[in-house]
Amino acid sequence: MATIQTTSLLLLVTILFLSSSLVLSWKKDEFRNCNQTPFCKRARSRKPGSCSLIATDVFINDGDLTAKLVSKKNNNQQQQQDQEEEEEEEVIQKPLILRLSVYQDGILRLKIDEDPSLDPPKKRFQVADVIVQEFESSKLWLQRVSTEEGEFGVSSIVFLNDNNEAVVKHDPFEVYVRKKSGERVLSLNSHGLFDFEQLRVKKEGDDWSESFRSHTDSRPYGPQSISFDVSFYGADFVYGIPERATSLALKPTRGPDVEHSEPYRLFNLDVFEYLAESPFGLYGSIPFMISHGKAQGTSGFFWLNAAEMQIDVLKSGWDAESGISLPSSQGRIDTFWMSEAGIVDAFFFVGPGPKDVVRQYTDVTGKPSMPQHFATAYHQCRWNYRDEEDVANVDSKFDEFDIPYDVLWLDIEHTDGKKYFTWDRNLFPHPEEMQNKLAAKGRHMVTIVDPHIKRDDSYFLHKEASEKGHYVKDASGRDYDGWCWPGSSSYLDMLNPEIRSWWTEKFSLQNYVGSTPSLYIWNDMNEPSVFNGPEVTMPRDAIHYGAAEHREVHNAYGYYFHMATADGLLKRGDGKDRPFVLSRAIFPGSQRYGAIWTGDNSAEWDHLRVSVPMVLTLGLTGITFSGADVGGFFGNPETELLVRWYQLGAYYPFFRGHAHHDTKRREPYLFGEKNTERMRDAIHTRYMLLPYFYTLFREANTSGVPVMRPLWMEFPSDEATYNNDEAFMVGNSLLVQGIYTEGVKHVSVYLPRGQSWYDVKTGVAFKGGVTHKLGVSEDSIPAFQKAGTIIPRKDRYRRSSTQMVNDPYTLVIALNDSLVAEGELYVDDGKSFEFEKGAYIHRRFVFSDGKLVSSNIAPPALGNKFSSDGVIERIILLGLPQGSKSALIEPENRKVDVELGPIRLRGGQSFTALTIRKPNIHVTDDWTIKIL
């Protein structure tokens, strides 16, 4: 026994040493490239026109268009081939089944799979629990299919919506969406690159194994990859397919003069200190791409598939030698999609605008969950706060320096030997008391719960999971044993609904001893990360629920873990408390279960810069509650960088400071009076804007439109915005420009055309459609309110957002040239699901004709109404000609003064804005204020 323990200890030390060396830098040779990934290498070698499939037996079945895809090649053409080629051709010639479905809002779904009547060796994996039931029930039952004969052959046409129709071209096979005018929107297999490797029964002599470095991957059913081309017509740029640290607009990966030869990789990986401007995949995978162009608007394509995916963006001219002629009257961007396994389950979105496409995608995968109000405020995290004394000291220091925060986080070191749901009782002897002290100030705590379970027979969780058979199996059928923070670990098979249900029970206050209702959860390492696995993850031949191979389900593993954890908190609160769960791994649908962060970034200016397109891309693909570690996780940021990161991070949807345990302490009160003041001011800015942010989170919850948006989402016809990812919009009203370079004194800011813009600090107006060169100081970054908008704020600062609930509101009205503006305010109880029954306040504010009108836009409540004593204590009017001295409040027939006042109550700003002080009107009421 002693020898075994010694050997295990040495192995653990070795593994931890290897993992710590990973921390030092990203090592390119530890991860596969396309040439080392057989399915990618095979797919990329295919030539345009190589697909031999044609569509036959086209008819309507159960409201869908169905067809068979068969090989055009016949037996006579095969006689010249050798035996090996004949066997390969036999596999290809098995007909595939195509099913085309139409849903409300013009959404087209294409499924292609093996024919189950031909007895394939097993059922190919289809991702469950991502598509929401509401979408499934929105299917339009097709009644007929029309046939069209043209110069390019026979096609079948079905209705999509009033403006678009779907076309299945028979020979060669192609699917595309076109407008009624004939212009194409999206197409699949226009270049004949479609390929579908069918499952096979292993024969004597077959060797399908694949090796990478020291790992060999068995393949019991042979290669099973799928690839095809997708074209976006009228597109100037394409975006999406996170997660990656690159520009917002996707750069070409193949074609004439292309510098980058690797495709964009979607394969969930634990990547330390990832590189900026690399197509390499990170912690999450969302195979959803959006195109946008001035000529034709916005469209989108989504492939629901959990296997590794590689995607090429093809530069114009890549197919110059193919001989394939596509419609020449339309510009387009071609892309090439490759996946290791799964089926084709693809969705075409026709827009026509950016918000329409995002709404359509989230109609399929679900709207973002409505976060608790506290979660939208500032979070303070470190790996790790050492003990209860450290927690108490950090908490008191924030109060001493007048810096609000809402959540304090604990990493793995708070546990007993890296065993989740436990506490190190030497360091945290009174966890309930610690949490309750924070809760008394309206604050919360988050602890970490990762998917690796320590293989320790004395650990209740491992003992129960092992006895019940709840672990993922290795290729031989034994519980998979990998290495992570605790050493030898196994991984729960979260694909199994019964295991997810079992997991939810672990979060009850009775089972999670030491937890309280104010404790929430963080899921890290859920790619899943395995230190001694291939590419620091689980082997592809591990076996999951339903005999699914890990290669088929890999990218969805963290999604299921996130789902089960959120369900656990939901059950803990008896369905009355909104969960808060942060996840690192993501997949389509993750937006329904909580927040996301961009992983282990570094304290570098480049990582500050790339955080903006990373968060914007997540928002475009449904993940609206996201942010980057403020300050950078690795390394020690210079003070100027840290300050700039707080100033930018205050506008992230998810705002958290976080740092590695090897870094110097960097709480914002540690950097001297002036820098502490700058960071405090940034955090105060976030708390001031919480009513606006919370209103935007509600908009995301109902429409899918993200909180943080690329400029072109709000200004889709302004071409100067299409490739701009240094600035961004928060909602439709605020434009923020980050500072990404050390020591700069000036910055260029493009303000979109058609509007004027007001500096949020000074109220000074700037013209739209112009790039302005502005002087900057270390005190703030440029931010502007768009003319024609109204922003709700709360200008008093408390210890936490919870203590601000009853504080009064300020309205900032930025008038356009017509002296018109409008905005909204959404308020609910900030924690329960009563808002789903109509228990909320939703007001619209409109200023026109010299009057500000407040009206209700909430439907009648289905249950108890939500009430609030909140009042508006200040109204700031930007752009109103001076001269007005008073205003009349109706229906009270009460006069109030209009006078010059500051933009913000703190900060020593001059009195430059016309202000209505203390109108003291209730946010719940209908009222009118007329400027006299």
Side-chain angles (χ1 to χ4, degrees):
M1 178 64 73
T3 302
I4 294 174
Q5 289 178 338
T6 301
T7 302
S8 298
L9 180 60
L10 288 173
L11 182 56
L12 174 59
V13 170
T14 300
I15 293 297
L16 292 180
F17 172 77
L18 290 173
S19 68
S20 66
S21 68
L22 284 173
V23 172
L24 296 177
S25 64
W26 182 69
K27 296 185 178 179
K28 183 176 180 180
D29 61 351
E30 293 183 355
F31 301 96
R32 296 188 192 211
N33 59 36
C34 181
N35 282 334
Q36 296 167 322
T37 308
F39 81 87
C40 183
K41 185 177 181 180
R42 288 196 303 274
R44 264 189 156 189
S45 69
R46 292 174 61 82
K47 303 297 182 184
S50 59
C51 175
S52 64
L53 297 178
I54 60 174
T56 65
D57 302 327
V58 180
F59 61 96
I60 299 295
N61 181 28
D62 287 336
D64 296 332
L65 182 151
T66 63
K68 289 184 178 180
L69 298 180
V70 301
S71 174
K72 193 174 181 179
K73 297 178 180 179
N74 57 40
N75 290 331
N76 292 333
Q77 292 174 309
Q78 296 179 45
Q79 290 177 355
Q80 305 301 318
Q81 299 174 337
D82 58 29
Q83 182 65 31
E84 181 179 350
E85 290 174 327
E86 287 179 359
E87 290 177 358
E88 182 70 13
E89 187 64 27
E90 180 184 344
V91 174
I92 295 175
Q93 280 194 326
K94 288 183 179 179
L96 299 170
I97 301 298
L98 176 150
R99 183 173 291 270
L100 206 65
S101 308
V102 175
Y103 296 80
Q104 292 177 10
D105 206 13
I107 298 173
L108 179 69
R109 183 179 189 179
L110 171 66
K111 296 187 78 171
I112 301 175
D113 196 0
E114 299 193 40
D115 188 340
S117 68
L118 300 180
D119 195 28
K122 73 162 193 168
K123 184 177 180 181
R124 297 176 77 106
F125 180 72
Q126 299 187 38
V127 185
D129 306 300
V130 168
I131 299 173
V132 295
Q133 184 57 46
E134 294 86 349
F135 174 76
E136 296 280 18
S137 62
S138 73
K139 190 175 94 167
L140 303 179
W141 285 67
L142 299 175
Q143 302 298 319
R144 64 185 180 86
V145 56
S146 58
T147 301
E148 177 180 281
E149 293 193 29
E151 60 177 309
F152 297 107
V154 178
S155 298
S156 298
I157 294 80
V158 296
F159 170 86
L160 198 55
N161 62 14
D162 290 341
N163 300 313
N164 300 277
E165 53 195 9
V167 180
V168 177
K169 184 179 173 185
H170 296 189
D171 182 10
F173 154 67
E174 181 187 6
V175 175
Y176 61 93
V177 174
R178 70 184 181 194
K179 295 182 178 181
K180 294 293 178 66
S181 60
E183 292 179 310
R184 289 190 173 206
V185 180
L186 284 165
S187 68
L188 183 147
N189 203 37
S190 298
H191 294 277
L193 287 170
F194 184 90
D195 185 52
F196 194 115
E197 296 181 326
Q198 298 184 25
L199 300 171
R200 287 179 274 176
V201 176
K202 196 168 187 177
K203 299 176 182 177
E204 186 176 352
D206 286 339
D207 182 11
W208 295 328
S209 63
E210 298 175 356
S211 297
F212 175 69
R213 292 166 64 90
S214 61
H215 297 274
T216 299
D217 173 28
S218 64
R219 307 185 64 85
Y221 302 101
Q224 51 184 293
S225 71
I226 303 170
S227 55
F228 49 78
D229 55 275
V230 175
S231 295
F232 298 85
Y233 295 83
D236 293 324
F237 294 97
V238 288
Y239 314 87
I241 58 169
E243 186 175 30
R244 51 188 173 76
T246 64
S247 59
L248 178 65
L250 294 165
K251 297 176 181 178
T253 57
R254 285 175 64 188
D257 303 318
V258 171
E259 295 179 7
H260 301 290
S261 61
E262 286 296 306
Y264 293 101
R265 189 183 191 195
L266 297 183
F267 190 63
N268 293 11
L269 288 171
D270 181 358
V271 184
F272 298 86
E273 291 189 300
Y274 49 78
L275 300 179
E277 286 307 315
S278 168
F280 191 82
L282 298 179
Y283 311 94
S285 300
I286 301 183
F288 171 43
M289 186 179 288
I290 300 177
S291 79
H292 183 70
K294 189 170 184 178
Q296 196 158 299
T298 316
S299 62
F301 179 81
F302 166 48
W303 185 5
L304 178 56
N305 189 316
E308 178 180 355
M309 202 175 291
Q310 305 261 4
I311 302 172
D312 272 318
V313 175
L314 305 171
K315 187 175 180 181
S316 180
W318 71 275
D319 59 341
E321 299 177 359
S322 70
I324 295 179
S325 176
L326 293 183
S328 58
S329 61
Q330 292 180 261
R332 69 179 193 276
I333 293 179
D334 299 322
T335 61
F336 185 44
W337 300 60
M338 305 161 271
S339 180
E340 184 179 12
I343 67 167
V344 176
D345 190 359
F347 298 79
F348 300 71
F349 305 111
V350 295
K355 294 179 182 179
D356 299 313
V357 171
V358 173
R359 184 191 70 250
Q360 289 157 2
Y361 168 76
T362 54
D363 281 345
V364 174
T365 61
K367 303 302 179 192
S369 61
M370 187 65 192
Q372 288 210 37
H373 189 272
F374 80 82
T376 67
Y378 176 63
H379 301 243
Q380 181 63 40
C381 183
R382 180 177 177 80
W383 178 21
N384 198 82
Y385 288 116
R386 296 183 299 269
D387 50 29
E388 290 179 5
E389 182 181 359
D390 196 9
V391 166
N393 181 62
V394 170
D395 179 67
S396 66
K397 285 292 185 181
F398 269 84
D399 291 341
E400 178 185 337
F401 286 89
D402 191 26
I403 305 173
Y405 85 96
D406 267 64
V407 193
L408 195 142
W409 294 53
L410 295 179
D411 210 316
I412 53 177
E413 311 303 335
H414 82 277
T415 63
D416 176 14
K418 312 297 189 300
K419 293 179 287 190
Y420 301 108
F421 302 101
T422 70
W423 301 85
D424 184 327
R425 291 290 176 167
N426 292 319
L427 302 176
F428 296 92
H430 311 105
E432 298 100 325
E433 181 181 340
M434 173 180 63
Q435 295 162 56
N436 290 335
K437 285 180 179 179
L438 294 178
K441 299 179 180 180
R443 290 168 175 159
H444 301 76
M445 177 163 275
V446 166
T447 54
I448 196 165
V449 177
D450 290 350
H452 47 264
I453 307 301
K454 185 174 184 176
R455 295 186 59 83
D456 180 340
D457 290 339
S458 66
Y459 180 24
F460 69 92
L461 196 62
H462 169 66
K463 189 172 185 294
E464 187 176 348
S466 183
E467 290 173 352
K468 291 179 178 291
H470 283 351
Y471 287 134
V472 175
K473 310 302 178 187
D474 64 20
S476 66
R478 295 186 296 268
D479 287 349
Y480 174 69
D481 184 350
W483 286 76
C484 206
W485 299 125
S488 178
S489 305
S490 286
Y491 295 73
L492 296 167
D493 187 0
M494 287 298 186
L495 267 70
N496 188 329
E498 293 183 7
I499 297 174
R500 294 201 301 270
S501 180
W502 169 83
W503 181 249
T504 65
E505 300 288 346
K506 306 309 170 191
F507 293 91
S508 71
L509 299 179
Q510 294 75 29
N511 290 332
Y512 190 174
V513 177
S515 67
T516 69
S518 64
L519 180 73
Y520 294 89
I521 300 300
W522 170 18
N523 290 160
D524 196 359
M525 316 294 286
N526 55 337
E527 294 73 32
S529 177
V530 184
F531 292 156
N532 64 333
E535 298 191 276
V536 201
T537 191
M538 191 176 287
R540 298 177 191 228
D541 55 7
I543 304 299
H544 294 261
Y545 172 71
E549 300 169 79
H550 187 71
R551 63 172 52 85
E552 299 176 287
V553 307
H554 173 80
N555 286 345
Y557 181 86
Y559 167 76
Y560 287 111
F561 192 79
H562 193 193
M563 175 198 299
T565 302
D567 287 346
L569 291 186
L570 188 64
K571 188 167 187 176
R572 180 190 74 177
D574 196 25
K576 298 176 182 178
D577 188 58
R578 298 179 215 165
F580 173 78
V581 183
L582 180 76
S583 174
R584 190 168 71 175
I586 56 172
F587 192 67
S590 290
Q591 65 269 15
R592 307 202 305 265
Y593 299 107
I596 303 299
W597 94 105
T598 60
D600 296 345
N601 59 359
S602 299
E604 300 171 6
W605 289 95
D606 283 349
H607 277 233
L608 171 63
R609 167 70 181 81
V610 82
S611 73
V612 172
M614 291 180 78
V615 175
L616 288 174
T617 300
L618 289 169
L620 285 174
T621 55
I623 312 293
T624 193
F625 196 9
S626 63
D629 282 346
V630 171
F633 179 62
F634 288 111
N636 296 303
E638 55 200 80
T639 304
E640 184 184 353
L641 172 59
L642 184 62
V643 168
R644 290 301 190 202
W645 216 317
Y646 268 96
Q647 291 167 345
L648 183 75
Y651 296 98
Y652 292 154
F654 176 60
F655 182 25
R656 180 182 75 154
H658 186 33
H660 190 275
H661 62 67
D662 286 339
T663 64
K664 298 175 183 177
R665 295 295 285 259
R666 60 164 94 137
E667 287 74 26
Y669 47 76
L670 294 174
F671 294 87
E673 181 178 352
K674 190 60 180 175
N675 291 308
T676 293
E677 179 183 343
R678 290 165 177 153
M679 287 183 271
R680 177 174 55 233
D681 187 59
I683 295 172
H684 279 169
T685 295
R686 175 50 163 255
Y687 278 78
M688 181 179 68
L689 291 172
L690 283 178
Y692 179 61
F693 270 90
Y694 199 65
T695 300
L696 293 174
F697 275 107
R698 176 57 171 167
E699 181 183 358
N701 174 245
T702 56
S703 71
V705 176
V707 171
M708 181 171 158
R709 307 168 185 174
L711 300 184
W712 57 264
M713 176 169 275
E714 290 298 326
F715 305 94
S717 63
D718 189 339
E719 293 175 86
T721 68
Y722 294 177
N723 200 24
N724 183 337
D725 56 12
E726 290 199 344
F728 57 89
M729 296 295 297
V730 178
N732 70 340
S733 304
L734 279 179
L735 183 150
V736 179
Q737 170 72 51
I739 302 295
Y740 310 112
T741 306
E742 181 181 4
V744 296
K745 303 301 181 184
H746 296 86
V747 65
S748 294
V749 183
Y750 177 74
L751 299 176
R753 66 171 183 260
Q755 315 286 338
S756 53
W757 298 82
Y758 297 90
D759 186 296
V760 299
K761 292 274 190 180
T762 65
V764 174
F766 290 83
K767 183 180 178 180
V770 177
T771 298
H772 299 270
K773 185 177 181 180
L774 304 175
V776 294
S777 72
E778 293 184 34
D779 294 336
S780 64
I781 60 175
F784 302 85
Q785 183 172 346
K786 184 178 71 174
T789 64
I790 300 175
I791 290 179
R793 303 189 326 206
K794 284 193 174 183
D795 289 358
R796 301 184 186 181
Y797 305 118
R798 309 290 187 186
R799 289 175 170 177
S800 66
S801 68
T802 312
Q803 296 184 338
M804 298 169 61
V805 170
N806 297 316
D807 283 353
Y809 293 87
T810 293
L811 297 181
V812 183
I813 301 174
L815 298 173
N816 62 18
D817 292 342
S818 301
L819 301 184
V820 171
E822 62 179 75
E824 296 181 8
L825 172 66
Y826 173 85
V827 185
D828 61 23
D829 66 15
K831 54 188 177 182
S832 78
F833 289 94
E834 289 299 305
F835 73 96
E836 294 181 343
K837 303 174 184 177
Y840 59 84
I841 298 165
H842 199 177
R843 308 297 299 183
R844 172 171 288 131
F845 307 113
V846 177
F847 188 98
S848 64
D849 299 323
K851 294 185 297 186
L852 175 63
V853 179
S854 172
S855 59
N856 176 47
I857 54 175
L862 303 176
N864 296 327
K865 291 185 177 180
F866 176 72
S867 61
S868 171
D869 294 328
V871 299
I872 295 172
E873 70 169 351
R874 280 206 313 156
I875 299 173
I876 298 172
L877 294 153
L878 302 176
L880 186 71
Q882 294 191 13
S884 300
K885 299 297 184 182
S886 63
L888 179 67
I889 299 176
E890 296 287 3
E892 300 176 25
N893 194 30
R894 174 166 56 94
K895 278 191 175 182
V896 290
D897 292 335
V898 177
E899 58 190 45
L900 287 175
I903 300 291
R904 293 175 64 169
L905 293 179
R906 295 192 184 189
Q909 296 294 330
S910 59
F911 288 17
T912 56
L914 285 177
T915 303
I916 302 174
R917 293 186 63 251
K918 298 191 181 302
N920 294 333
I921 40 182
H922 287 271
V923 294
T924 56
D925 296 342
D926 292 344
W927 42 259
T928 298
I929 301 179
K930 184 175 182 179
I931 306 298
L932 300 178

